[in-house]
Amino acid sequence: MTVLNVSSIQRFSTGDGPGIRTTVFLKGCNLRCPWCHNPESISKKTETLIYPGTHRAVTYGKTMSLEELFDDVIEDIDFYRESGGGVTVSGGEPLLQPVGVGELARRLRSVGISTLVDTAGCVPWENFLCVADHVDTFYYDVKTADGALYENVVRGDKALVFGNLGRLVEAGKDVAVRIPLIPGFNMSGADHEKIYGELKKTGARRVDLLPFHRLGSSKYEAMGLTYGYKDTPPPEEAKIEKIKKIYEDGFIVRIEK
Amino acid sequence: MILDGLKEEMKNAPSGEYCPDLFRAQGYASSNGTTVSQIRADGIAALFTAPKPYIYKNDLTVGSIRPYFTELSEEDRKTVCLYEEKYPERDFEKNGDHFAPDYFTAVRIGIPGLIERIGRSEEKHKNDESALDFLSSMKKTLYALIGKLEAYAAAADGLIGKEGYDDGRLRTVRDNCRALTVSAPRNFEEGLQLVWMIHSCFVSEGRYAMALGRIDRYLYPLFERDIESGRIDEEYATELLAGVFLKICENRYRGFDDVVNICIGGVDEDGKCSVNKLSLCVLHAVRDVNLPGPNLSARITADTPDGFLDECLRVIGTGLGYPALMNDEVNIAALLRKGYDLRDVRNYCMVGCIENFITGKQPPWVDGRFDPICYLEEILLESDADFLDGIRSMDEFMELYERKLARGVSEYVRSANRRSFVHDPGDRTSPFLSCFCELCIERGRDINDGGALYPSVHGAALMGIGTVSDSLSAIEKTVFVDGSVKLSEIAEGIKRNFEGKEKLRETLRSAPKYGNNDDFVDKYAVWYAGTLSDMFDRYRTNDGGAFYTAMAANTSNIEAGMSLQATPDGRLAGQPLSDAASPTYGCDVRGVTSTLLSVSKPDYTRCACGTVVNQKFSPSAFEDGKREKLLKLIRVYFARGGQEIQINSTSREVLEDAMVNPDRYQSLVVRVSGFSAIYVTLSRDVQEDILSRTQQQL
């Protein structure tokens, strides 16, 4: 029986793709972005967070059979159909559970529900092959074009990320590149000129910019961790606009708030 | 601009005491009438004509409560008391207000037309002394209305040339008022002036929650003609409407907000979608006023254009919370069950908050609260342990509960019928109000004495659907499914308010809760709406009208909860019951789509009065690109049979308040990219980030 390690399920997700969507956050990630706003989805283990302020305890991490998960997300089918929405699988890194994600996506598409996978791309190409046929759109995170930064800060592999991206685009998939704008990490013009150059080579067409926010910091507190970005304010509008300009030459650019 | 000026002027509260009854008492004192109706008509005539008119410098449409503020001597107070006792008025419980007047007829034929109708009726009833008596008192009040318009015309004329006034506006006011004394309104300005003057008269009579109803229907013919001829444009029409809606807020001088329901959209009498340009003007006028008082409702049909619904959402997104969105299909089906003519049903509007009303064709609305929870508690608290543990199945328990409820409904109805409507129909007449209700003139009878086309109805607001459903779910799950708890233990826990029974309370709380699209518990909500509506269907009001059910009770869920013991859902004694038709606050945890899937399960065509479902969204949900998702959410909810939804865009003020009083906002969700968060769980600087975003968007 195929099972998935689900962190949480969020309905009426309005920031994770077109229309009304349900986002399934899978648990477990192979990257360690220090600004991560979903820290509860990094570890594969089940975790209970007790939020300060409400003392509300929320448990993240639940093994669900494919059947269970499918039944859960299919409840909102009327909303998906009316709005052109569907199901988004995010994480964590969803493609660390490629068989389950592929099977879920296949079943959803067989009943006409559109599927979107939000990945950071740092997985073997075979993992993409498990899902690619059943996924309508990929949200594809690119954090930097600096190989050393990828390795040392994010713990990822730049070559793998850009390589997979190129192959995905080449395979004709609908891909939106998602770039988080992180103060102190990738906010300079030079950073983005470099990313721009690399992206050009992949043939990608769409770029979404995601300005940093610290809305995840209470989760760190609830996990008993210290958030390194606790005192980092969101980037200024003007800086974001400047970066946007760089990509506007050749890409369809959106700022996602 | 004129609106801003008017807002500024209205900041100066009038001095003295609000006492229209002083003027009415003067009318009673000098009356030569020989019947109660005649004397009452003299009182009303004085009420309308004795005070000196008040015209704001920025008035485009006149009519104000300011003239009723006055200095009262001891002697005056005595006089007022004397006549209030001698000629008592009907209040809400006695079908006195919460009424949607027939402005369709008033606007079409004007005051002279109504007087003419009375003349014809007098002819018809020439041998019926009591009809003639009532008709002549009706006529007297209409002449008083003419007198009031004349007084305002004269006052406007007298102000011409005075500093601070705009002579052009004064001439318009003067001419409009004069024209209305001799003919039906000839243009939009006059139509609005007529309606507002009549409404002001109702307010001076002491009536509350008098609806303006389908203003985008009855003023539309005049509006359309004026727009086509170029006499007015939409901007000016919006400004005129805003000036009128703003003056609803004059009631703040008396210390409260009136609840004047205004209804836009919906189908016309032929069943076609009737959204027009005037609907948008009304919507924008309410937005521009930006105050509670004008209570805007939008009737939404499947073929209401997306553009109109989107515009409604934009206005809601300003933080105002209006309009409330009503599912036309459900409301029409619900009212048709009560046997009204289809065309009358299609022309329904709302009075007060959300109460469905057949415009100008039935006596004023009455309602009360029915609390099913006390009957559940009665079973648990008044039975001994052996009896409780002898109940073998959930079905058996439900049978018992239904028997208690049936008895409760019968007692409720008896008491409601004792209070309302029967009070001296011949004595407590309303000659002026009756002029604006169909058939009162033709029959020569008072609106509460057989004059109205349809009989009076009573709305029973059913309390706590969430609390009841969750309680029944907890009983079924723990006692009859899991067998982990005995019914007598639950009773004991409730008696002790779960003190020392924390584990039991946790077990009960972990049973399925309403609002998560789980049939295990949602079936009780379906049962609740259907069964209770069936029970009320067996009864009639004193004059043969229906008992409607509602799931809407303002904030009385808080008050009702205060006097109740703990409940089997784990709610503690004194805590609020679930609100209106919504799930228990904080128990619908799967997200808004699940909430709406649950909430659309009961058959609301059984709830003819209406329901209220409150939902809160952060302002970002109203941004371009996201608003469309909200719109689709509502479309699906309505297609599945949801009856009503009122959406709050969480305003900056709310977020600020939540930072100070986190306990009150335990369920306030802010939706951001990537995930949603309970606002009060966020750290202070993050809350501030959200606040600053909010500010950008407003």
Side-chain angles (χ1 to χ4, degrees):
Chain A
M1 190 176 68
T2 313
V3 295
L4 284 139
N5 185 359
V6 177
S7 179
S8 62
I9 296 171
Q10 184 183 308
R11 313 183 106 79
F12 197 64
S13 244
T14 56
D16 298 312
I20 296 173
R21 310 193 75 82
T22 297
T23 302
V24 178
F25 293 94
L26 296 184
K27 212 153 162 15
C29 189
N30 54 348
L31 301 186
R32 291 293 179 272
C33 311
W35 57 82
C36 181
H37 66 215
N38 285 336
E40 79 287 359
S41 67
I42 296 173
S43 161
K44 282 190 213 163
K45 290 191 202 115
T46 298
E47 288 162 286
T48 298
L49 275 63
I50 297 169
Y51 286 96
T54 59
H55 310 293
R56 184 188 287 259
V58 184
T59 299
Y60 296 93
K62 183 183 174 193
T63 304
M64 291 177 84
S65 72
L66 202 64
E67 197 71 26
E68 244 181 304
L69 189 54
F70 179 80
D71 286 349
D72 189 298
V73 297
I74 200 80
E75 285 178 26
D76 285 6
I77 189 164
D78 285 5
F79 296 101
Y80 308 146
R81 289 208 169 128
E82 177 72 25
S83 67
V87 173
T88 294
V89 186
S90 181
E93 173 51 67
L95 294 186
L96 293 178
Q97 305 181 52
V99 177
V101 172
E103 187 55 20
L104 176 69
R106 187 189 65 74
R107 293 196 52 184
L108 288 169
R109 287 244 304 223
S110 75
V111 292
I113 296 176
S114 100
T115 55
L116 188 154
V117 166
D118 188 353
T119 176
C122 200
V123 294
W125 176 243
E126 295 76 61
N127 296 24
F128 277 96
L129 288 181
C130 279
V131 306
D133 285 346
H134 315 301
V135 172
D136 294 298
T137 300
F138 284 91
Y139 274 5
Y140 198 109
D141 287 14
V142 165
K143 325 277 185 192
T144 172
D146 182 320
L149 276 185
Y150 240 118
E151 198 177 323
N152 300 328
V153 179
V154 179
R155 312 273 178 82
D157 178 344
K158 181 199 151 191
L160 185 60
V161 170
F162 281 94
N164 284 339
L165 177 58
R167 294 170 89 166
L168 206 54
V169 174
E170 202 184 337
K173 301 311 293 183
D174 176 35
V175 181
V177 174
R178 312 264 285 180
I179 308 172
L181 304 182
I182 310 296
F185 176 75
N186 66 3
M187 288 295 291
S188 78
D191 292 335
H192 288 277
E193 292 291 354
K194 210 166 164 191
I195 301 176
Y196 175 87
E198 295 281 351
L199 287 185
K200 269 286 167 192
K201 289 187 235 161
T202 65
R205 299 290 316 280
R206 293 204 277 147
V207 168
D208 296 344
L209 300 176
L210 289 71
F212 168 79
H213 61 75
R214 51 184 162 174
L215 302 177
S217 53
S218 67
K219 294 184 186 175
Y220 283 88
E221 221 176 305
M223 293 170 79
L225 301 172
T226 309
Y227 187 33
Y229 283 79
K230 186 164 67 77
D231 300 320
T232 309
E236 294 153 32
E237 285 297 316
K239 275 192 178 165
I240 299 169
E241 283 300 319
K242 227 171 173 174
I243 293 168
K244 185 174 176 224
K245 286 248 152 41
I246 296 173
Y247 294 98
E248 271 171 350
D249 180 14
F251 294 97
I252 302 159
V253 193
R254 243 165 23 109
I255 296 172
E256 181 93 54
K257 277 196 181 165
Chain B
M1 312 93 346
I2 291 180
L3 185 66
D4 292 339
L6 190 56
K7 277 186 182 173
E8 207 47 47
E9 275 186 89
M10 282 178 59
K11 281 184 187 160
N12 293 318
S15 63
E17 220 174 298
Y18 181 74
C19 191
D21 281 351
L22 178 65
F23 300 95
R24 177 146 45 188
Q26 289 164 0
Y28 287 143
S30 61
S31 173
N32 299 319
T34 51
T35 67
V36 173
S37 279
Q38 285 170 20
I39 296 166
R40 281 188 180 276
D42 285 329
I44 292 170
L47 179 67
F48 292 176
T49 55
K52 202 165 150 265
Y54 185 91
I55 298 176
Y56 287 99
K57 294 186 178 76
N58 290 284
D59 258 346
L60 291 162
T61 311
V62 290
S64 167
I65 68 167
R66 280 178 182 260
Y68 297 106
F69 284 84
T70 176
E71 302 298 336
L72 289 175
S73 66
E74 271 318 301
E75 196 61 27
D76 289 340
R77 278 181 220 283
K78 275 187 204 147
T79 313
V80 169
C81 284
L82 177 76
Y83 283 104
E84 275 176 353
E85 267 169 43
K86 207 164 169 191
Y87 300 106
E89 289 297 316
R90 290 178 178 278
D91 56 13
F92 173 64
E93 282 203 328
K94 299 182 183 66
N95 307 74
D97 54 29
H98 283 67
F99 177 72
D102 177 11
Y103 288 128
F104 284 85
T105 303
V107 166
R108 203 174 58 246
I109 68 177
I111 309 166
L114 288 171
I115 291 173
E116 220 179 284
R117 277 194 181 184
I118 292 174
R120 281 201 299 277
S121 185
E122 282 173 331
E123 195 57 35
K124 192 173 90 187
H125 293 288
K126 59 179 177 242
N127 299 319
D128 178 347
E129 214 169 289
S130 91
L132 288 177
D133 173 45
F134 192 65
L135 286 164
S136 84
S137 54
M138 286 170 104
K139 198 157 60 180
K140 190 174 272 178
T141 65
L142 289 178
Y143 278 119
L145 174 60
I146 286 179
K148 186 165 183 166
L149 285 160
E150 279 168 348
Y152 266 92
D157 196 56
L159 287 168
I160 290 174
K162 293 264 162 63
E163 202 191 320
Y165 289 86
D166 180 300
D167 289 353
R169 280 205 294 274
L170 286 170
R171 285 194 187 95
T172 306
V173 163
R174 178 195 65 194
D175 296 346
N176 289 346
C177 288
R178 269 191 196 149
L180 290 170
T181 65
V182 292
S183 81
R186 300 161 303 173
N187 55 51
F188 182 73
E189 275 179 336
E190 288 180 11
L192 187 62
Q193 176 64 75
L194 176 64
V195 169
W196 181 246
M197 195 56 91
I198 296 169
H199 178 86
S200 304
C201 286
F202 290 140
V203 172
S204 71
E205 280 190 287
R207 301 184 201 280
Y208 172 73
M210 296 295 287
L212 289 175
R214 305 191 79 188
I215 196 166
D216 64 341
R217 301 282 305 140
Y218 58 75
L219 284 182
Y220 189 66
L222 295 171
F223 172 86
E224 192 184 26
R225 207 190 312 153
D226 284 3
I227 291 280
E228 266 170 25
S229 70
R231 193 176 186 280
I232 60 170
D233 59 14
E234 284 154 55
E235 197 184 327
Y236 181 64
T238 305
E239 195 159 34
L240 279 170
L241 288 162
V244 163
F245 298 160
L246 183 61
K247 284 206 287 188
I248 292 171
C249 309
E250 276 190 325
N251 283 289
R252 298 191 153 192
Y253 304 143
R254 299 160 63 191
F256 62 87
D257 285 314
D258 200 348
V259 187
V260 176
N261 209 304
I262 302 164
C263 179
I264 53 175
V267 297
D268 62 16
E269 289 90 332
D270 300 317
K272 285 202 294 283
C273 173
S274 74
V275 170
N276 56 42
K277 283 181 180 168
L278 182 53
S279 319
L280 283 173
C281 294
V282 174
L283 183 62
H284 291 149
V286 170
R287 174 197 64 197
D288 295 346
V289 169
N290 196 29
L291 285 170
N295 186 17
L296 189 64
S297 312
R299 287 173 46 182
I300 305 297
T301 69
D303 55 5
T304 296
D306 276 353
F308 177 69
L309 183 51
D310 185 59
E311 203 54 35
C312 289
L313 289 173
R314 278 175 189 269
V315 173
I316 292 168
T318 61
L320 183 63
Y322 297 136
L325 304 173
M326 310 292 179
N327 188 348
D328 228 19
E329 275 97 7
V330 169
N331 280 336
I332 288 173
L335 290 167
L336 277 177
R337 279 176 182 266
K338 303 300 175 195
Y340 305 113
D341 178 80
L342 175 61
R343 291 174 70 83
D344 292 342
V345 165
R346 284 173 173 159
N347 204 25
Y348 79 100
C349 64
M350 290 86 190
V351 296
C353 306
I354 51 98
E355 301 91 307
N356 291 328
F357 196 84
I358 306 293
T359 308
K361 292 177 199 280
Q362 60 191 170
W365 177 262
V366 173
D367 60 42
R369 319 258 182 259
F370 180 76
D371 174 12
I373 292 155
C374 55
Y375 301 98
L376 186 61
E377 299 211 319
E378 198 178 295
I379 297 176
L380 295 170
L381 299 177
E382 292 176 15
S383 314
D384 59 37
D386 288 347
F387 174 82
L388 288 175
D389 296 333
I391 297 172
R392 280 155 308 177
S393 67
M394 195 62 196
D395 286 348
E396 205 181 312
F397 183 84
M398 292 301 286
E399 254 175 59
L400 189 62
Y401 188 25
E402 283 189 21
R403 274 206 302 278
K404 296 261 182 203
L405 285 173
R407 198 200 68 216
V409 168
S410 125
E411 281 166 4
Y412 173 95
V413 166
R414 204 174 323 140
S415 138
N417 276 344
R418 241 195 328 264
R419 284 197 311 272
S420 71
F421 203 76
V422 286
H423 283 265
D424 320 320
D427 268 3
R428 299 197 186 200
T429 50
S430 304
F432 182 66
L433 186 70
S434 300
C435 295
F436 303 93
C437 179
E438 190 171 317
L439 289 191
C440 291
I441 291 179
E442 286 69 15
R443 289 176 179 168
R445 295 187 79 98
D446 181 72
I447 188 169
N448 279 315
D449 189 20
L453 172 63
Y454 294 121
S456 72
V457 294
H458 177 106
L462 311 178
M463 306 289 295
I465 186 172
T467 307
V468 170
S469 302
D470 293 347
S471 292
L472 294 172
S473 158
I475 291 173
E476 185 187 351
K477 181 78 170 52
T478 60
V479 179
F480 298 107
V481 176
D482 296 347
S484 60
V485 170
K486 286 201 286 188
L487 200 52
S488 59
E489 288 176 63
I490 298 181
E492 195 54 35
I494 288 173
K495 277 179 205 156
R496 292 206 215 154
N497 198 23
F498 296 111
E499 267 166 45
K501 297 266 178 191
E502 283 74 19
K503 196 155 170 289
L504 169 69
R505 182 166 178 244
E506 268 325 296
T507 310
L508 293 169
R509 276 159 65 93
S510 62
K513 297 279 181 276
Y514 186 46
N516 298 293
N517 194 25
D518 183 344
D519 281 334
F520 185 88
V521 47
D522 294 357
K523 67 174 183 271
Y524 289 112
V526 174
W527 163 85
Y528 176 102
T531 304
L532 286 167
S533 298
D534 277 344
M535 288 178 183
F536 277 100
D537 269 350
R538 293 187 203 130
Y539 299 94
R540 287 292 173 268
T541 60
N542 293 308
D543 57 333
F547 272 83
Y548 292 180
T549 51
M551 281 182 267
N554 295 329
T555 53
S556 55
N557 61 310
I558 299 170
E559 192 192 310
M562 277 192 231
S563 59
L564 280 172
Q565 306 233 30
T567 36
D569 58 341
R571 177 191 142 277
L572 295 175
Q575 284 185 348
L577 303 179
S578 61
D579 162 54
S582 302
T584 305
Y585 214 34
C587 286
D588 49 337
V589 294
R590 290 180 78 214
V592 64
T593 51
S594 287
T595 304
L596 295 183
L597 288 174
S598 278
V599 166
S600 56
K601 281 177 195 173
D603 179 3
Y604 295 103
T605 69
R606 309 300 313 280
C607 301
C609 170
T611 51
V612 165
V613 173
N614 284 304
Q615 284 292 316
K616 286 196 183 77
F617 288 95
S618 69
S620 66
F622 296 86
E623 282 169 30
D624 288 343
K626 293 206 173 163
R627 210 169 49 246
E628 194 192 334
K629 302 184 184 189
L630 211 46
L631 187 149
K632 297 296 185 188
L633 186 80
I634 293 159
R635 290 287 194 197
V636 173
Y637 168 61
F638 278 0
R640 295 183 70 94
Q643 187 168 21
E644 195 256 15
I645 186 165
Q646 44 198 52
I647 302 172
N648 286 301
S649 159
T650 315
S651 65
R652 193 182 161 77
E653 289 73 36
V654 170
L655 295 178
E656 278 169 347
D657 192 40
M659 289 166 80
V660 185
N661 301 301
D663 290 349
R664 291 187 212 153
Y665 297 91
Q666 294 288 307
S667 305
L668 174 61
V669 174
V670 281
R671 280 158 214 278
V672 288
S673 65
F675 68 94
S676 301
I678 306 278
Y679 185 71
V680 294
T681 66
L682 301 170
S683 62
R684 185 139 196 111
D685 38 5
V686 176
Q687 289 178 333
E688 268 156 18
D689 287 354
I690 295 176
L691 265 181
S692 64
R693 279 186 178 199
T694 309
Q695 196 170 33
Q696 283 165 19
Q697 287 147 8
L698 286 177

